Amino acid sequence: MNSLNPHPFMCDIHDLATLAEEVRVGDVRAVSRLISLLENHPGAREALRFLNTTLRKMMVIGVTGYPGAGKSTIVDRLVSFYRRQGVKVGVLAVDISSPVTGGALLGDRIRMSEHAMDFGVYIRSMATRGHHGGLARATGDAALVLEAAGYEVVLIETIGVGQNEIDIVNLAHTVVAVVAPGLGDEVQAMKAGLLEVAHVVVVNKGDLTGANHALRDLREWCPKVLRTVAMTGEGIQELAAAIAEHQRSRGVRHVEKARNR
Amino acid sequence: MAIASAPLRILIGKVGLDGHDRGVKLIARALRDAGVEVIYTGLHRTPEQVVNTAIQEDVDAIGLSILSGAHKTLFRRVLELLKEQDAEDIALFGGGIIPDEDVTTLTADGVKALFRPGAPIQEVVEFVKGLKWRD
């Protein structure tokens, strides 16, 4: 099935063309292998030429926010939402590599295990490998691969970010920032960075004390602020609606249209 | 052109019904500290979930902790699924309370290594690092 040279770090242009062809028919092993090559080997970007993708056919949603705010759980719930619409969904979940050893513990999938047997969902964990900005160097390339393989929505989960890791803005069509109650006062919301660039801000764990306060503060500074309780699924439909509205407002073909093309 | 610095990717998790995850978390952390990218799946996974995840994550190996006594059934099922998926290049290793005779059988079946209580963590780390060039 896999026609690539088994030695994982050798790139031959003919192998890349064959691999790209396998990606285009939706072969999951080929998708996985190509993403690894793109992570490991700059020369593998040649394969992108054969994919002929631009990220215009697919909806790219970025989910970013503070560590522990609930990004993975929100992504999990959004995957369920889009699957109910019959859409193929990709997830790229980025976690940080240790600056000391280069190792990483990639654990975002734990919250997404419900989708492990759904062949309409592809989940890939990526480590930052020293790249700054909240994503891995190859995250954008991986999104191109998923588009070529027929995924219609890709959710990109950034590392738990502070205020300056905003690469996601250049990659995603819609950026959702996730915060939780009790993480700071109004002045935090006024600061530059994450909340400034998000299209939708979500106060997750909205059943906790302080949620109303956070909502009130954020609404003064951010255009669209929603409350969710991702653990129970509360507010996810509204979040999906806000994402769709944002996509429409910027002229991106949203999922339904893309499916009818 | 080989890039020696590309990190190993290893899936670490638990299959079946036992919830004793102290050991598996220690291993996950030790591998992280050894420079490995560890995809940690958590508890109560099925062999099917593990193999699908391993393929999506393009891992070099799967390491499973099984303390329930069901190691023979579960390791064999994972091997079978890897074969079905044409993914036998992914090495399978594990740990648990596994009697001598089962170690012999499972190793013959294709499990690359089994670590038992008392095995030094460094032994696991060395084994994993030895997987660097899979073929």
Side-chain angles (χ1 to χ4, degrees), chain A residues 164-181:
Chain A
N164 205 25
E165 295 91 348
I166 54 173
D167 273 8
I168 190 66
V169 178
N170 299 320
L171 183 54
H173 304 142
T174 303
V175 175
V176 177
V178 184
V179 302

Side-chain angles (χ1 to χ4, degrees), chain B residues 32-121:
Chain B
R32 183 204 70 184
D33 291 345
V36 172
E37 289 182 2
V38 177
I39 291 93
Y40 183 62
T41 67
L43 300 171
H44 307 315
R45 299 284 90 90
T46 66
E48 287 78 6
Q49 289 175 332
V50 163
V51 171
N52 278 356
T53 300
I55 287 171
Q56 291 185 357
E57 297 285 359
D58 195 32
V59 295
D60 301 280
I62 299 173
L64 299 176
S65 154
I66 304 175
L67 299 167
S68 64
H71 45 265
K72 265 165 87 176
T73 320
L74 292 170
F75 279 121
R76 280 179 174 161
R77 182 69 186 137
V78 171
L79 286 170
E80 200 175 283
L81 290 163
L82 285 171
K83 191 169 184 177
E84 268 173 33
Q85 302 274 335
D86 196 14
E88 288 165 292
D89 56 319
I90 300 175
L92 176 64
F93 68 100
I97 303 167
I98 302 165
D100 288 343
E101 59 267 36
D102 293 355
V103 171
T104 317
T105 338
L106 286 171
T107 316
D109 288 343
V111 178
K112 292 282 184 297
L114 289 165
F115 301 93
R116 298 189 288 173
I121 283 191

Side-chain angles (χ1 to χ4, degrees), chain A residues 32 36 40 106 122 125 129, chain B residues 3 37-38 55-58:
Chain A
S32 298
S36 295
N40 294 337
L106 308 170
Y122 179 91
S125 314
R129 300 190 181 176
Chain B
I3 295 188
E37 289 182 2
V38 177
I55 287 171
Q56 291 185 357
E57 297 285 359
D58 195 32

Side-chain angles (χ1 to χ4, degrees), chain A residues 188-237:
Chain A
Q188 298 300 330
M190 292 162 65
K191 287 184 185 170
L194 176 65
L195 296 173
E196 185 184 25
V197 298
H199 304 110
V200 182
V201 175
V202 168
V203 177
N204 190 38
K205 310 188 187 185
D207 52 345
L208 295 185
T209 318
N212 288 333
H213 199 108
L215 282 163
R216 199 172 55 234
D217 283 350
L218 287 165
R219 281 187 174 134
E220 283 187 40
W221 298 97
C222 307
K224 185 84 188 168
V225 185
L226 300 170
R227 176 207 299 264
T228 59
V229 185
M231 283 296 281
T232 65
E234 195 185 322
I236 295 300
Q237 202 146 2

